[in-house]
Amino acid sequence: DKGLIILAEKYNSYTYTTTTYQAGSGTMPGRWTTTTYQVYECGDIMMSKIDAAGNIGWLNIAPKQQREVIQTGSRSGTGLSFSFFRVWFNWPFYAGYGVLPGSNSLNIILNDHKKNDNVLQLGQKVKKISYFRKSECFAINLNTTTGKYTRSNLFSNRDVPTAMPRLSSVLGRDMYLIGKEDRILGKTKIAVARLTIK
């Protein structure tokens, strides 16, 4: 109908550092360590339709609170310095959302706390998700004509490498969703899923 669907997300990004002191023992001196973190806060999703004349047809807001923290570097009092990442353009990995368009609908794919499965309107209590390995991957199905939407659980990230909806790719009616699990000991695990609109 020559209208336009607009999706927007409440978003904040900032860096902070912490400094800790570890006491020495015997002849060994104490040590200060400074660690740097990058924080991404991805909040409510605004969904609206603008018709061909520029009028707002409907406007809805789906509440969410995602907080992703990435350690980017560490500096020791002994002079050792570590920078873990040099390229930031793909961040955040797990927060945010991806979109799979249909003929008269949009499917908004996101990671969220399992207790938010029935949270659809402003004013409802929202549980913040910051540990994404224990999150659930949800789909918000938005009817682009009426503005009505529902929410459904796709799968749990507890059982598979954590989904990265924001970094997904859409080809036709298919979304290719990548999951990644970083492990301190052992190799990183990667998973790929295909979501299809029938």
Side-chain angles (χ1 to χ4, degrees):
D1 61 2
K2 298 184 180 179
L4 179 68
I5 302 296
I6 298 176
L7 301 178
E9 180 181 47
K10 188 176 182 181
Y11 176 83
N12 186 30
S13 174
Y14 59 92
T15 302
Y16 75 92
T17 59
T18 61
T19 302
T20 58
Y21 178 74
Q22 182 178 0
S25 61
T27 59
M28 297 295 292
R31 181 176 66 175
W32 290 95
T33 301
T34 300
T35 307
T36 305
Y37 300 91
Q38 183 70 30
V39 180
Y40 295 92
E41 295 176 336
C42 300
D44 303 341
I45 301 174
M46 182 199 76
M47 307 171 286
S48 63
K49 181 176 183 179
I50 310 298
D51 65 20
N55 301 310
I56 297 176
W58 47 259
L59 189 149
N60 294 308
I61 296 178
K64 71 177 178 72
Q65 289 186 27
Q66 299 168 313
R67 186 174 191 266
E68 185 171 340
V69 181
I70 302 169
Q71 183 178 340
T72 59
S74 179
R75 180 180 301 272
S76 171
T78 61
L80 293 175
S81 178
F82 299 96
S83 180
F84 302 118
F85 301 99
R86 297 193 180 277
V87 179
W88 295 17
F89 61 86
N90 277 335
W91 295 354
F93 295 126
Y94 309 112
Y97 63 89
V99 178
L100 176 57
S103 55
N104 290 307
S105 67
L106 290 176
N107 288 278
I108 302 168
I109 313 299
L110 67 149
N111 293 321
D112 206 351
H113 198 285
K114 65 179 181 179
K115 291 187 177 179
N116 294 333
D117 59 344
N118 291 317
V119 175
L120 290 172
Q121 304 294 334
L122 285 177
Q124 290 182 277
K125 187 175 180 180
V126 181
K127 190 86 172 171
K128 182 188 291 184
I129 184 69
S130 56
Y131 188 56
F132 288 91
R133 286 184 63 183
K134 291 187 176 182
S135 68
E136 304 287 312
C137 189
F138 288 95
I140 295 175
N141 180 266
L142 172 66
N143 184 306
T144 56
T145 303
T146 65
K148 293 182 179 180
Y149 57 99
T150 59
R151 182 174 175 141
S152 58
N153 190 318
L154 296 177
F155 57 85
S156 172
N157 283 311
R158 293 171 182 258
D159 307 321
V160 295
T162 309
M164 300 187 288
R166 196 184 68 81
L167 301 177
S168 60
S169 296
V170 175
L171 296 173
R173 289 177 171 257
D174 297 328
M175 170 185 276
Y176 293 88
L177 189 62
I178 297 172
K180 182 170 74 79
E181 177 185 338
D182 291 322
R183 296 189 293 175
I184 297 173
L185 300 174
K187 296 179 180 179
T188 296
K189 287 185 178 180
I190 299 290
V192 179
R194 184 179 72 180
L195 306 180
T196 303
I197 294 182
K198 294 183 179 179

